[in-house]
Amino acid sequence: MNIGIGVIGAGVMGADHVRIIAQEVARARVVAVCDQDLARAQSAATIAHGARAVTDPLALIADKDVQAVVIASPDATHADYALACIAAGKPVLCEKPLAPTSAECATIIAAEQALGRRLIQVGYMRRFDPGYTDMRRRFAEGDLGGALLLHCIHRNAVAPAWFSALMAITNALVHEIDITRWLLGGEIASIQILRGRATRSSAAADPLLAIMQMESGQVVDVEVFMNAGYGYDVRAELVCEKGTLTMAPPVHAELRHNGSQSFSFAQDWRPRFAAAYRRQMQAFVDSLETQQGMGASAWDGFVATAVAEAGVQAFEIRTPVKIELPPIPRLYSA
Ligand code: ISE
């Protein structure tokens, strides 16, 4: 039977999640779409024929036809809706970040612990991207030896007008914080943020270079460039003791023409991570039957936000900041 999903937020990502569920995912259907702007909710709901458009997120969560919820509303609303879903016993795929502050993430972890089971999966979709999954699988084979360095590039074509300098850390770098922990299988011990020479008036310090050191000693560098201009470009290279793994460009066709070879970049993350978003949603739907969550947990969401908070501090004080995490609760350590 198809699982009834309610989507909260019908902006860029919310509307894309509605489309993905309606067109690309098996055994699920969108039953309701919520947005404060009813016209926007209606426009997204038309993609999923038969879905209701509503403006009250709490009514959507309480709706008996809604068996699971996708939260894709603005970051600052995530914690309230996630807590309401936990209180209603409904599984959630929550867009990243889980919440803007680690204190809010901690309330979600406390609610899941009180319930005694995990209902939240955080949309760190790179864990489902073929480039990152191949890199992790190949590294796990072991013959490359230990990991020494991870180089990451995270470039956006143009930052939205409302994007602040700190959002480069709290909204963009959080992806590398999560994928680094997942790829290397360890925790981040410290973070430092170097400011590049600002290129445009819209972003005060763009690009940034984040340097993170893992507890086991590996160094991770991340270029976060919000206004790179030419397109959306995200990739990584893992340097190991006996070889390296470099992510291939995510293209289906390369052009050879007029004496040169080329491929094009998407303008934002949706085409670049289309496979990841699709696989993530299918894994979420499958996990509702198998009870085996595969994506980032609320604990992973908490850690990503906590490390980003340390990154904001490092940005402000211009020195490295040590990461102090509480012990991982038993619910998440299995
Ligand atoms: C955006 O919110 C995303 O999540 C994208 O994946 C990321 O690359 C971009 O930098 C963020 O602003």
Side-chain angles (χ1 to χ4, degrees):
M1 214 197 63
N2 278 353
I3 291 175
I5 299 190
V7 177
I8 303 178
V12 171
M13 276 322 300
D16 207 40
H17 285 310
V18 171
R19 184 192 60 74
I20 291 167
I21 299 165
Q23 299 175 357
E24 301 184 348
V25 163
R27 297 177 300 284
R29 70 198 165 98
V30 181
V31 291
V33 182
C34 175
D35 200 285
Q36 279 183 344
D37 177 346
L38 183 61
R40 205 156 73 149
Q42 282 166 336
S43 151
T46 55
I47 309 169
H49 308 287
R52 286 188 290 284
V54 298
T55 54
D56 179 355
L58 298 181
L60 176 141
I61 294 167
D63 188 328
K64 63 173 183 16
D65 293 335
V66 171
Q67 293 161 280
V69 177
V70 172
I71 300 176
S73 46
D75 298 357
T77 64
H78 288 184
D80 284 351
Y81 301 154
L83 289 171
C85 290
I86 294 171
K90 297 198 176 173
V92 176
L93 174 61
C94 180
E95 260 303 331
K96 44 58 62 177
L98 176 56
T101 66
S102 59
E104 289 167 287
C105 295
T107 64
I108 296 170
I109 288 175
E112 279 196 328
Q113 282 182 279
L115 187 72
R117 65 196 169 102
R118 287 158 51 165
L119 288 176
I120 307 282
Q121 180 174 314
V122 187
Y124 282 112
M125 79 298 178
R126 292 189 188 180
R127 293 178 179 224
F128 296 90
D129 175 65
Y132 287 103
T133 53
D134 271 12
M135 190 176 252
R136 187 176 193 245
R137 181 193 46 74
R138 187 62 189 81
F139 170 54
E141 286 175 16
D143 57 323
L144 295 175
L148 303 173
L149 287 169
L150 178 65
H151 301 296
C152 307
I153 301 281
H154 184 155
R155 298 188 187 135
N156 280 267
V158 189
W162 43 267
F163 219 82
S164 68
L166 293 181
M167 284 180 85
I169 300 169
T170 60
N171 187 280
L173 176 65
V174 283
H175 279 292
E176 273 81 11
I177 294 172
D178 180 68
I179 209 69
T180 290
R181 298 178 58 241
W182 181 81
L183 270 177
L184 300 179
E187 293 298 350
I188 299 165
S190 69
I191 183 165
Q192 177 179 12
I193 307 281
L194 303 177
R195 305 171 186 217
R197 188 176 64 84
T199 53
R200 292 176 194 220
S201 51
S202 61
D206 185 38
L208 298 176
L209 188 69
I211 300 179
M212 304 189 278
Q213 181 130 37
M214 305 302 289
E215 283 178 352
S216 45
Q218 299 106 333
V219 174
V220 179
D221 62 84
V222 187
E223 174 198 314
V224 185
F225 193 0
M226 295 307 303
N227 292 285
Y230 67 87
Y232 184 78
D233 189 7
V234 166
R235 56 199 148 93
E237 180 178 18
L238 181 61
V239 181
C240 303
E241 288 165 315
K242 297 183 195 157
T244 72
L245 286 162
T246 304
M247 203 174 285
V251 289
H252 300 296
E254 253 182 357
L255 177 69
R256 287 177 172 81
H257 182 58
N258 276 345
S260 69
Q261 181 183 1
S262 64
F263 63 87
S264 351
F265 287 95
Q267 284 305 297
D268 73 34
W269 51 89
R270 286 168 297 169
R272 161 67 180 85
F273 285 112
Y277 283 117
R278 186 181 63 247
R279 290 169 163 201
Q280 170 181 256
M281 190 61 78
Q282 189 65 66
F284 175 62
V285 168
D286 293 348
S287 76
L288 303 176
E289 283 166 14
T290 62
Q291 307 293 321
Q292 302 278 315
M294 284 178 55
S297 67
W299 171 257
D300 296 317
F302 164 80
V303 175
T305 295
V307 176
E309 270 172 356
V312 167
Q313 198 192 348
F315 175 85
E316 280 162 355
I317 64 176
R318 296 176 188 249
T319 39
V321 169
K322 269 183 68 179
I323 317 286
E324 313 274 1
L325 293 175
I328 180 167
R330 212 151 35 127
L331 185 61
Y332 305 100
S333 58

